[in-house]
Amino acid sequence: KNYLASVISDSRSSEFLKIMAAYGMSQVKKNEKDYNASLAHLDKVINHFPDKEILIVDKGVIQFEAGLFDQAEKNLEAALAADSGNMYGTFTLGQLLYRSGRRSDAEKYFKTVSFELPEYSKVYFELGKIAADEEKKGLSRFYLGKYNLYEGKLKLARQSLQDALRDAEL
């Protein structure tokens, strides 16, 4: 944090280096949950690189974490309209929709991520929560098993998958 602040304030730093430091500072401030400062730093970066959709995803993520769901949804949808292959944005939009009570919409986004990035463990955890909400115990255990498998927790994965196999509906 101190290093980034010194780069930003140093008159000898190039404009590019200052912009990169502003991006780093936006992430530090996000982790500190200082969302206003995080967004202010990120907006400087976006102004410098207006054609980089990934920055709009970053902005949506910060807004989502800050509880600014409407703004986050608009930014995430705009970024995905420009680059539908952005799985970071897709996953985050799924999380936002789930938190907003739109489970079936969230599930579509999570299934896209699970198809495009099958090794991304967190998506199975989210799909498992949806299945549990819908009282689909076998399916929720299956997703929990996949989550644990990709997390490297093989004993837990085996137990969850064995439990899932006992469900006649699965």
Side-chain angles (χ1 to χ4, degrees):
K1 180 178 173 178
N2 292 336
Y3 172 74
L4 295 171
S6 69
V7 169
I8 292 169
S9 64
D10 189 343
S11 62
R12 296 170 294 174
S13 296
S14 68
E15 181 182 4
F16 180 77
L17 192 56
K18 287 182 180 186
I19 292 299
M20 291 295 97
Y23 178 79
M25 189 64 83
S26 77
Q27 300 306 296
V28 168
K29 292 295 185 179
K30 177 185 79 144
N31 291 339
E32 293 175 345
K33 303 203 183 324
D34 185 352
Y35 300 116
N36 289 332
S38 178
L39 289 168
H41 284 290
L42 187 59
D43 282 340
K44 291 176 189 173
V45 180
I46 291 170
N47 287 336
H48 192 77
F49 297 109
D51 59 331
K52 300 294 184 189
E53 289 86 17
I54 188 67
L55 296 173
I56 304 303
V57 172
D58 286 336
K59 187 171 185 172
V61 168
I62 295 166
Q63 291 167 326
F64 171 59
E65 289 184 19
L68 305 170
F69 290 177
D70 290 341
Q71 294 171 11
E73 187 172 351
K74 286 177 189 170
N75 280 317
L76 291 168
E77 286 177 347
L80 291 175
D83 178 12
S84 63
N86 186 312
M87 292 300 108
Y88 181 46
T90 302
F91 180 75
T92 304
L93 185 54
Q95 288 181 305
L96 185 150
L97 294 169
Y98 179 76
R99 289 249 313 273
S100 300
R102 294 176 277 172
R103 276 195 313 238
S104 63
D105 292 333
E107 185 176 25
K108 291 174 193 170
Y109 284 97
F110 291 142
K111 285 191 175 184
T112 298
V113 174
S114 73
F115 179 77
E116 295 293 331
L117 288 174
E119 69 281 2
Y120 187 59
S121 62
K122 292 177 182 172
V123 74
Y124 300 112
F125 190 82
E126 298 297 330
L127 285 166
K129 288 192 311 189
I130 291 171
D133 289 347
E134 295 173 349
E135 298 183 11
K136 296 178 180 176
K137 291 180 182 179
L139 187 59
S140 70
R141 288 303 213 160
F142 170 73
Y143 285 130
L144 182 60
K146 286 187 81 167
Y147 168 77
N148 284 315
L149 178 66
Y150 285 111
E151 286 289 307
K153 300 174 184 174
L154 300 181
K155 288 182 181 179
L156 289 172
R158 175 181 292 248
Q159 181 62 47
S160 294
L161 291 171
Q162 285 175 338
D163 289 347
L165 285 172
R166 291 186 197 107
D167 187 329
E169 289 182 29
L170 188 60

